[in-house]
Amino acid sequence: MNAAISLDTIDRRLLELVQEDATTPLAQLAEAVGLSSTPCWRRLQRLKEAGVITRQVALVDAERVNVGVTVIVSVRTAVHTEEWFERFRATCEAIPEVVEFYRMSGDVDYLLRVVVPDIKAYDAVYKRLIAGTNLHDVSSSFAMEQLKYTTALPLKYAL
Amino acid sequence: MNAAISLDTIDRRLLELVQEDATTPLAQLAEAVGLSSTPCWRRLQRLKEAGVITRQVALVDAERVNVGVTVIVSVRTAVHTEEWFERFRATCEAIPEVVEFYRMSGDVDYLLRVVVPDIKAYDAVYKRLIAGTNLHDVSSSFAMEQLKYTTALPLKYAL
DNA sequence: GTTGAAAAACGCGGAGT
DNA sequence: ACTCCGCGTTTTTCAAC
């Protein structure tokens, strides 16, 4: 279900293109990869069915919707039970300001990326995070500038 | 150019929908927000022209293209010149495995998110990062699990 | 803002090489 | 597996309200 899949050169080029712009007309994609539209369409279909392409979304400018501040939150926990984890996971899942959430190796247990309009709003999210879940240590770092952000994954490693 | 913009309830609802699924037919979006398709189309057009919706992309499953490992890289620098920064920025920009890149406040100067197939591949990226740019301290943490990742920004703060 | 409708573009699939 | 071609749908634009 979630194994790597076999992709040839054309598949990769198609993925590169749609990762950058999913509105590109099929005919144009087809031309770019040197195919006619039908096989190109079938390939895209196959990539969707295989779960390589998961979905197609509109990206929104963070500044224009007033969430220009991103905060990186490092969390260390005292408790390490399954029950605590599930609770924390559910909390993060429910907070829309938490846009990324990783379980880490090393000294930090969890890492979050949170987007908010300002420090005051972050404080509200912070309170929501620690409410209910017993966090041992929470360290928040503010990003001054987003220098790069892309949803396009490198395809050179694809099998 | 990058100021927050005025969005009413319908605009927000539309953005919520297209942030989740940009393939939704216009007629269906229109119905969901209680509008007919013409004004709905005009609103989406306006949101694109205003730069609120920046683009429409296909999201790819990281596991299936063999970049299931994400590494968080904290960078401290010895040099703090404009020239050094530009060089480092260009390096990160050019490395497709670097999918996010922030300038931070606090003890860490820069934070990167890197996606790779395995530790060995990360080492290659690491070498590319430190080559040419004189990094004082680089600390890499591996994510064991991606518990949440969304491109959908919270819209409750939009003005 | 609405409806309706028409033009153009595009997705989708069949038939054939 | 691909090309060619056409049907059906959807987008996009245009009226008039």
Side-chain angles (χ1 to χ4, degrees), chain B residues 33 78 150:
Chain B
V33 300
T150 181

Short mmCIF file of all heavy atoms in Angstrom, two decimals, chain B residues 33 78 150:
data_model
loop_
_atom_site.label_atom_id
_atom_site.label_comp_id
_atom_site.label_asym_id
_atom_site.label_seq_id
_atom_site.Cartn_x
_atom_site.Cartn_y
_atom_site.Cartn_z
N VAL B 33 -21.09 26.91 -1.50
CA VAL B 33 -21.06 28.23 -0.87
C VAL B 33 -22.37 28.99 -1.08
O VAL B 33 -22.49 30.14 -0.66
CB VAL B 33 -19.87 29.09 -1.39
CG1 VAL B 33 -18.56 28.40 -1.07
CG2 VAL B 33 -19.99 29.36 -2.88
N ALA B 78 29.19 30.91 11.57
CA ALA B 78 30.23 31.73 12.20
C ALA B 78 30.20 33.11 11.54
O ALA B 78 30.23 34.14 12.21
CB ALA B 78 31.59 31.06 12.02
N THR B 150 0.14 19.36 6.11
CA THR B 150 -0.93 19.93 5.30
C THR B 150 -0.46 21.22 4.64
O THR B 150 0.34 21.96 5.20
CB THR B 150 -2.20 20.19 6.13
OG1 THR B 150 -3.20 20.73 5.28
CG2 THR B 150 -1.94 21.15 7.27
#
